[in-house]
Short mmCIF file of all heavy atoms in Angstrom, two decimals:
data_model
loop_
_atom_site.label_atom_id
_atom_site.label_comp_id
_atom_site.label_asym_id
_atom_site.label_seq_id
_atom_site.Cartn_x
_atom_site.Cartn_y
_atom_site.Cartn_z
N MET A 18 3.44 -2.96 14.10
CA MET A 18 4.38 -2.94 15.25
C MET A 18 4.28 -1.60 15.99
O MET A 18 5.02 -0.64 15.68
CB MET A 18 5.83 -3.18 14.74
CG MET A 18 5.99 -4.34 13.77
SD MET A 18 7.69 -4.52 13.16
CE MET A 18 7.85 -3.03 12.12
N ASP A 19 3.38 -1.57 16.94
CA ASP A 19 3.10 -0.26 17.53
C ASP A 19 3.47 -0.27 19.08
O ASP A 19 3.44 -1.32 19.71
CB ASP A 19 1.58 0.04 17.41
CG ASP A 19 1.23 1.54 17.65
OD1 ASP A 19 2.17 2.34 17.70
OD2 ASP A 19 0.07 1.80 17.80
N GLY A 20 3.82 0.90 19.55
CA GLY A 20 4.11 1.06 21.01
C GLY A 20 5.56 1.34 21.30
O GLY A 20 5.91 1.42 22.46
N ASN A 21 6.38 1.55 20.29
CA ASN A 21 7.83 1.82 20.56
C ASN A 21 8.02 3.12 21.36
O ASN A 21 8.81 3.19 22.26
CB ASN A 21 8.56 2.00 19.21
CG ASN A 21 8.54 0.67 18.40
OD1 ASN A 21 8.16 -0.35 18.86
ND2 ASN A 21 9.00 0.81 17.17
N GLY A 22 7.28 4.16 20.98
CA GLY A 22 7.43 5.39 21.64
C GLY A 22 7.05 5.37 23.09
O GLY A 22 7.75 5.84 23.97
N ARG A 23 5.91 4.75 23.35
CA ARG A 23 5.41 4.67 24.75
C ARG A 23 6.36 3.83 25.59
O ARG A 23 6.65 4.12 26.75
CB ARG A 23 4.02 4.00 24.77
CG ARG A 23 2.92 5.03 24.56
CD ARG A 23 1.61 4.39 24.22
NE ARG A 23 1.61 3.99 22.84
CZ ARG A 23 0.61 3.28 22.36
NH1 ARG A 23 -0.37 2.80 23.05
NH2 ARG A 23 0.69 2.86 21.03
N ARG A 32 12.40 8.49 22.19
CA ARG A 32 11.52 7.64 21.33
C ARG A 32 12.37 6.68 20.41
O ARG A 32 11.99 5.50 20.20
CB ARG A 32 10.55 8.42 20.53
CG ARG A 32 9.52 9.19 21.35
CD ARG A 32 8.60 9.99 20.41
NE ARG A 32 7.87 9.14 19.49
CZ ARG A 32 6.72 8.50 19.75
NH1 ARG A 32 6.16 8.65 20.91
NH2 ARG A 32 6.15 7.76 18.86
N HIS A 36 12.35 2.57 19.05
CA HIS A 36 12.40 2.01 17.67
C HIS A 36 13.53 1.01 17.53
O HIS A 36 13.42 -0.05 16.89
CB HIS A 36 12.51 3.15 16.65
CG HIS A 36 11.33 4.08 16.67
ND1 HIS A 36 10.03 3.62 16.64
CD2 HIS A 36 11.26 5.43 16.63
CE1 HIS A 36 9.23 4.69 16.65
NE2 HIS A 36 9.94 5.80 16.70
N ALA A 62 6.23 -0.49 9.12
CA ALA A 62 7.33 0.18 9.76
C ALA A 62 7.17 1.73 9.72
O ALA A 62 7.70 2.40 10.59
CB ALA A 62 8.67 -0.22 9.11
N ASN A 67 3.05 9.03 9.07
CA ASN A 67 4.09 9.20 10.06
C ASN A 67 5.05 10.39 9.77
O ASN A 67 5.83 10.77 10.64
CB ASN A 67 4.95 7.87 10.21
CG ASN A 67 4.20 6.83 10.95
OD1 ASN A 67 4.37 5.63 10.78
ND2 ASN A 67 3.37 7.21 11.96
N ARG A 70 5.41 13.32 12.24
CA ARG A 70 6.20 13.34 13.53
C ARG A 70 7.33 14.34 13.39
O ARG A 70 7.61 14.88 12.38
CB ARG A 70 6.67 11.95 13.72
CG ARG A 70 5.57 10.97 13.96
CD ARG A 70 6.01 9.60 14.33
NE ARG A 70 4.80 8.77 14.57
CZ ARG A 70 4.84 7.65 15.25
NH1 ARG A 70 5.99 7.19 15.81
NH2 ARG A 70 3.75 6.97 15.40
N GLU A 74 12.59 12.54 14.83
CA GLU A 74 12.11 11.13 14.83
C GLU A 74 12.17 10.56 13.43
O GLU A 74 12.58 9.41 13.18
CB GLU A 74 10.75 11.02 15.47
CG GLU A 74 10.27 9.53 15.52
CD GLU A 74 9.05 9.34 16.37
OE1 GLU A 74 8.58 10.26 17.06
OE2 GLU A 74 8.55 8.18 16.44
N LEU A 78 14.41 7.46 12.14
CA LEU A 78 13.80 6.27 11.64
C LEU A 78 14.38 5.92 10.25
O LEU A 78 14.75 4.77 10.03
CB LEU A 78 12.28 6.41 11.50
CG LEU A 78 11.50 6.16 12.79
CD1 LEU A 78 10.05 6.68 12.70
CD2 LEU A 78 11.50 4.72 13.21
C1 IPE B 301 5.28 2.28 16.09
O1 IPE B 301 5.56 2.79 17.36
C2 IPE B 301 6.46 2.48 15.16
C3 IPE B 301 6.22 3.61 14.20
C4 IPE B 301 5.07 4.18 13.92
C5 IPE B 301 7.37 4.02 13.36
P1 IPE B 301 5.15 4.25 17.74
O2 IPE B 301 6.30 5.16 17.46
O3 IPE B 301 3.86 4.65 17.03
O4 IPE B 301 4.89 4.14 19.29
P2 IPE B 301 3.78 4.79 20.13
O5 IPE B 301 2.44 4.45 19.52
O6 IPE B 301 3.99 6.27 20.10
O7 IPE B 301 3.95 4.28 21.51
#
Side-chain angles (χ1 to χ4, degrees):
M18 309 179 290
D19 198 14
N21 296 350
R23 276 164 282 172
R32 295 178 59 86
H36 298 313
N67 285 147
R70 297 187 178 198
E74 182 168 355
L78 280 165

